[in-house]
Amino acid sequence: MSKHKHNADDEHLVAHRPNAATRVRNYFLTGLVITGPIGITLWLTWTFIKWVDSWVKPFVPRVYNPETYLPFSIPGFGLIVAVVVLTIVGFLAANFLGRSLISFGERLVDRMPLVRNIYSGLKQIFQTVLDQRGTSFNKAALIEYPRRGLWAIVFISTDTKGEVSSQLKNMADTVSVFLPTTPNPTSGFLLFVPKEDVIELNMSVEDAAKLVISAGLVSPDYPEYVEDLVVDPKQAERLKKVEKV
């Protein structure tokens, strides 16, 4: 009886033991998961450095370019020069003389019909994105889109302002949100949504972006957020209404 049981157990283990081809495939996939993100990150970094070098190096005088005296190129030299030059420009622009020159240049640009529209738009975008005091995209949220019963992740930008806010003030108190597309979150839609229809998430914007980019395959560990979650009474009431629906 015991011998028969041992034989049955041995046959069960053999049946479930992966063969050589399966083990090789698992090893390959494990190696791909480990080296893939590292390789892509290094490639993107190297490509960015070469791109900056190709733009900056032609403007560096040969006498100040160390590659003139060395038998090999120095990757990243153009990037270093760009960082130094931008820092100097920022320092000069913070002075009275620099601000005066910038104001004079902007007055000249304002006289150019097409150029002034492009410049003002780009300036506003850069100021909004790079302003450390700003609160752009500091929260992720859920809204019902493209119809009720379907939910989409959005990034909260700010309270609706300007003419849009004035036109909608009698209908709802709205917030401006950006709805990203999958798998490219840099494109999407600007929506003005009533605040009561927005459910804020406790996950970070970075985790929400990963969720969008991966098409739902990479999801943050929810229990990590539950411990620190402070429930807003109004939001809890909205969640109860959603559950009833």
Side-chain angles (χ1 to χ4, degrees):
M1 182 76 176
S2 177
K3 183 177 180 181
H4 177 74
K5 182 178 180 181
H6 284 303
N7 291 338
D9 292 340
D10 292 341
E11 292 177 357
H12 179 75
L13 291 174
V14 171
H16 288 79
R17 185 179 300 167
N19 54 32
T22 302
R23 289 199 299 270
V24 170
R25 183 195 64 181
N26 293 338
Y27 294 153
F28 171 77
L29 294 177
T30 302
L32 184 63
V33 169
I34 294 174
T35 60
I38 297 175
I40 294 175
T41 302
L42 293 176
W43 177 76
L44 290 174
T45 304
W46 180 253
T47 302
F48 175 75
I49 292 175
K50 290 175 62 179
W51 178 75
V52 175
D53 285 351
S54 65
W55 275 88
V56 177
K57 283 184 179 179
F59 297 98
V60 179
R62 291 179 56 85
V63 66
Y64 298 115
N65 192 343
E67 295 182 0
T68 306
Y69 315 102
L70 298 176
F72 54 86
S73 62
I74 304 177
F77 174 72
L79 180 61
I80 295 174
V81 172
V83 171
V84 173
V85 170
L86 291 175
T87 304
I88 294 175
V89 170
F91 170 75
L92 295 176
N95 297 327
F96 175 76
L97 179 60
R99 291 196 297 269
S100 300
L101 291 175
I102 293 174
S103 298
F104 175 74
E106 289 183 343
R107 285 196 297 269
L108 291 178
V109 172
D110 285 339
R111 299 179 181 178
M112 305 177 186
L114 180 61
V115 176
R116 68 186 178 191
N117 295 333
I118 298 175
Y119 172 75
S120 61
L122 291 175
K123 180 181 178 181
Q124 188 173 6
I125 291 173
F126 272 79
Q127 287 179 338
T128 303
V129 173
L130 299 179
D131 189 358
Q132 297 178 353
R133 297 167 297 177
T135 57
S136 300
F137 296 166
N138 64 338
K139 280 187 175 296
L142 288 174
I143 65 169
E144 287 188 284
Y145 183 90
R147 64 170 176 82
R148 293 204 172 274
L150 299 182
W151 297 87
I153 288 181
V154 296
F155 301 127
I156 299 177
S157 176
T158 181
D159 291 340
T160 306
K161 301 176 181 178
E163 182 181 355
V164 176
S165 176
S166 177
Q167 295 291 337
L168 298 177
K169 65 181 180 180
N170 294 329
M171 290 180 283
D173 187 12
T174 60
V175 61
S176 304
V177 301
F178 175 72
L179 189 147
T181 57
T182 302
N184 178 19
T186 59
S187 64
F189 306 95
L190 171 63
L191 304 176
F192 305 104
V193 186
K195 288 184 177 180
E196 61 182 13
D197 293 338
V198 178
I199 299 178
E200 294 186 5
L201 299 174
N202 203 50
M203 70 173 68
S204 65
V205 174
E206 291 77 10
D207 287 333
K210 293 177 185 177
L211 187 61
V212 172
I213 294 172
S214 66
L217 296 177
V218 178
S219 181
D221 191 5
Y222 180 66
E224 293 181 1
Y225 299 104
V226 174
E227 297 177 358
D228 302 326
L229 181 62
V230 178
V231 179
D232 183 1
K234 294 182 179 180
Q235 183 170 333
E237 188 66 24
R238 291 200 301 269
L239 289 174
K240 289 180 180 179
K241 292 180 180 178
V242 172
E243 290 178 355
K244 291 179 181 180
V245 175

